Each structure stands twice: as structure tokens, then as C-alpha cells.
Amino acid sequence: MTTAEIVDLKGLPFELRRLQNNSGSSAVRHVLRTLPMYFGDKRAIPFYSEQASAVKNYSLGAYLNARQVGIVVLRSSTDDTGEIAVLAIVPEHQSVGLGTVLLDRAEQEAIRRGHKCIIAATVGPKQKDPNFMRTLRFYERHNYRMLAEFDYMWPGVWCAYLVKQLGD
Ligand SMILES: CC(C)(COP(=O)(O)OP(=O)(O)OC[C@H]1O[C@@H](n2cnc3c(N)ncnc32)[C@H](O)[C@@H]1OP(=O)(O)O)[C@@H](O)C(=O)NCCC(=O)NCCS
């Protein structure tokens, strides 16, 4: 952990901390386990926790009273392109603006890295999953636009690739 910032949302002081290596992985595991409707596939948690431990990735954890409540991981896919590799907030602290704050910090980091755009993959509208429809609306409200939707990346699940131009 290298830096800490406090953000006040609805009167609650959320602490944001940069995470490295194992602290990032265990944060991902902790948050994703609270969201079985989204990350219930047994391959999901090991896959995403590995993203947080990759040295070049940027991981930021959110805490309330020292309890882990959210996580975002940014990966640099190419020199021009960043990717939201993980973004999740525990159910009891969703809809107060914390996802927006973590997404913003990841976008700021992508800009610092010189990326021109940022992408995110999520379950697409053809899947008709009401939980992920909310996720899609969240990204759309933050100016992410759907590039493509296909069903070969995650067997049996429609995957949507979203993109946002940075620095507008
Ligand atoms: C998608 C997700 C990351 C969004 O995080 P969040 O903290 O709930 O998002 P925010 O609170 O910033 O914004 C979302 C909602 O809160 C509202 N909101 C935003 N800022 C707010 C504020 N300051 N006060 C009150 N409400 C606010 C928005 O209008 C929005 O409304 P909705 O509940 O109808 O969607 C979160 O819901 C989540 O973890 N979902 C499950 C996992 C997931 O889908 N991850 C995405 C990658 S696949």
C-alpha cells in the first residue's frame, strides 16, 4: 500500500488505497465473493485475482472502517489502450457513488499512462441478465459505448466490449 485518500459519500468516509501484489489479489477475492450473481463461475475469482497481482496493473481498493468494500484494477492492453480488468463494489455499499469514484481514478491513471481510450468487458444485453443490465447502464452513464457483442469468449455467455475515448 503506497497512498491513501478519503472520499466522503453520503456522510461515510471511504478510504482509497493503492494495492500491490498479494494485497490486490486478496482484495479482489474478498469483494468478488460477495457478488455470486456476477462472479459465481468457479474460474472467475482466480482469474480476476491474478489480474490484481500483475506488477504493471494498477489496483485501488476502497475501505470503510478498515473493511474492504470495493476494488478496481486497470490493465494496459497496449500503449494506447487501458482496460478495466476488475471493478466491483460489495452489495451493501453500491449506489452511493463509490463505483463512479473508482472508475474515475482508474481513468485518471489510464490518462497518466498516456492511453487514448479505455475498454471494459461485461455481460452483454443479449444475455438479458437484469444484474448486468444495471452494470451496462452504469458504464453507459460514464460514456462507455458498446463496440461489439459476441458469444465465443465466455462459453454460453454474451460478452460486450465497451470503449470510451479518454481526455474529452
Ligand atoms: C457496477 C458497479 C461497479 C457500480 O458501482 P456503484 O458503486 O453501485 O455505482 P455508483 O453508486 O457510482 O453509481 C451507480 C448508481 O448509483 C447512483 N449514484 C451515483 N452517484 C451517487 C451518489 N453520490 N449518491 C447516490 N447515488 C449515486 C447512480 O445513479 C446509479 O444508479 P443505479 O443504482 O440505478 O445504477 C457495482 O454496482 C457492482 O459492483 N456491480 C457488480 C459487479 C459488476 O457488475 N462489475 C462490473 C464489471 S463486470
Side-chain angles (χ1 to χ4, degrees):
M1 287 178 279
T2 51
T3 57
E5 178 194 357
I6 305 293
V7 288
D8 191 287
L9 297 169
K10 290 204 166 172
L12 295 174
F14 291 93
E15 186 181 351
L16 308 184
R17 289 187 214 146
R18 278 292 302 274
L19 303 173
Q20 263 133 19
N21 308 321
N22 291 337
S23 60
S25 296
S26 66
V28 169
R29 284 196 294 276
H30 182 90
V31 176
L32 269 45
R33 278 190 198 124
T34 69
L35 295 161
M37 303 294 280
Y38 295 83
F39 302 102
D41 186 298
K42 67 179 189 324
R43 291 160 296 188
I45 292 180
F47 173 79
Y48 290 116
S49 66
E50 211 170 286
Q51 298 282 315
S53 64
V55 176
K56 290 184 179 165
N57 292 353
Y58 166 90
S59 302
L60 189 70
Y63 298 79
L64 184 64
N65 301 325
R67 228 191 103 228
Q68 178 84 46
V69 294
I71 179 80
V72 66
V73 179
L74 172 81
R75 190 167 80 84
S76 293
S77 303
T78 67
D79 286 350
D80 285 345
T81 311
E83 178 173 358
I84 301 296
V86 183
L87 175 62
I89 308 296
V90 299
E92 58 270 42
H93 293 295
Q94 290 182 4
S95 294
V96 298
L98 190 55
T100 297
V101 169
L102 292 186
L103 186 63
D104 172 72
R105 298 303 187 277
E107 291 178 2
Q108 294 304 320
E109 173 66 16
I111 290 168
R112 270 194 293 278
R113 292 180 175 201
H115 298 326
K116 308 282 187 298
C117 66
I118 189 161
I119 59 175
T122 188
V123 172
K126 285 188 181 162
Q127 196 68 28
K128 297 187 168 46
D129 178 320
N131 292 311
F132 279 106
M133 291 307 283
R134 183 176 170 252
T135 301
L136 270 174
R137 280 201 307 276
F138 169 83
Y139 278 119
E140 283 167 359
R141 268 199 300 273
H142 294 289
N143 297 319
Y144 286 71
R145 298 291 171 251
M146 197 159 83
L147 262 182
E149 186 176 15
F150 39 80
D151 63 355
Y152 56 82
M153 197 162 101
W154 300 329
V157 178
W158 284 96
C159 167
Y161 255 95
L162 313 171
V163 65
K164 174 178 180 175
Q165 187 168 323
L166 293 170
D168 285 345

